[in-house]
Every structure is written in C-alpha cells, then in structure tokens.
Amino acid sequence: MPEIIRIGGVELRFLQSKQQTRGSLDLFEVTMMPDARMPVPHYHRDWDEAVYGLAGTSTWTVSGKEIDVLPGESLFIPRGVVHGFDNRSSQPATCLSVLTPGVLGPEYFREMAALVNEGKPDPEKMKAVMIRYGLVPAPQG
C-alpha cells in the first residue's frame, strides 16, 4: 500500500522507495494544490530527478528557467541543478517523480512534513534536515 505524506499544499504518494528497490530509485506521485509550491528551492547532491506530468499544469523553475509541465510532458533535472516548483493554476496538478539512484526515501519527506505542518516552520531546522538528506538549499536573494 502506498504511503501518503502531506507537506502543506503538496501531497506525495510513495509508490516505490529506496528500500523496496535496493537503492535503484524512489518513485512517487506529487499532487500540488492551487498556489502550492516547493518550500525551499534546492539541488540534489547525489541523485537525478525525472518528472512526468499526469494532470493539471505545474511550473518548474530549473536553473532560473520556468518550464510548465503538462500531462504527458516530462522534465529531467540533473544532480547539482537548482530547481523548485509551484502550481500557479486554479486546479490541482499531479506529476510522477523518479529519483535515481534511490537514496532519499520517504524519511526526508516525513521530517519536512512534521516541520511544515506545525505552522510557521523554522527555516534553520528545515535547512538542517535538507542538508542531512543531501538536498542543498539554494541561496536566497
């Protein structure tokens, strides 16, 4: 049975994790409610990410370039490339995300959910969790 993790207006439905695939990949659906966004733009130190649009339109910012991902479209984000996403539409948007190799798992998302869903999250605590899991927050400003 898939694990569902909610982080503010973003819901992740884990389909395969690093534990299930012996580290080959992490596979999950990401559903973004209208006006939802990734809490902190970042890059991945140790894995690549592929995104496939399933429903609605999500906007991904990759290396400063905005890219709309619609159903049937895909996007590849190499490790080391700063990215983030948001849903600027009035409808939910869903994508399928694949992380290769599978080194993140659902643990990171559980920890971020605990911080974000408690109200106003502490940016320093969020940054510490990100770094511990191999996500590097992008410089702000």
Side-chain angles (χ1 to χ4, degrees):
M1 172 159 254
E3 178 177 0
I4 296 174
I5 302 168
R6 290 179 180 84
I7 306 172
V10 177
E11 178 181 284
L12 289 98
R13 185 170 165 252
F14 250 84
L15 303 170
Q16 296 288 321
S17 69
K18 67 180 183 177
Q19 293 87 353
Q20 297 162 308
T21 66
R22 291 181 284 175
S24 294
L25 62 86
D26 287 309
L27 174 69
F28 50 91
E29 285 183 4
V30 179
T31 299
M32 301 157 241
M33 295 298 116
D35 299 318
R37 65 178 180 80
M38 180 181 292
V40 181
H42 62 273
Y43 66 86
H44 306 148
R45 190 178 58 221
D46 301 317
W47 65 89
D48 301 314
E49 182 170 8
V51 177
Y52 179 77
L54 296 173
T57 302
S58 57
T59 301
W60 292 72
T61 303
V62 180
S63 289
K65 181 181 176 189
E66 293 182 355
I67 304 163
D68 287 337
V69 176
L70 287 75
E73 296 182 349
S74 64
L75 173 65
F76 179 72
I77 306 166
R79 64 192 79 192
V81 174
V82 173
H83 62 283
F85 65 74
D86 61 322
N87 179 356
R88 300 174 185 177
S89 76
S90 61
Q91 300 296 317
T94 302
C95 295
L96 188 66
S97 286
V98 180
L99 310 180
T100 56
V103 296
L104 189 60
E107 298 84 4
Y108 163 75
F109 298 104
R110 288 185 205 124
E111 285 194 44
M112 288 301 278
L115 292 173
V116 170
N117 296 340
E118 70 183 15
K120 187 171 165 100
D122 180 333
E124 290 305 312
K125 287 182 181 178
M126 290 175 66
K127 181 178 177 181
V129 170
M130 292 176 74
I131 290 170
R132 187 162 25 91
Y133 282 95
L135 293 91
V136 180
Q140 302 297 309

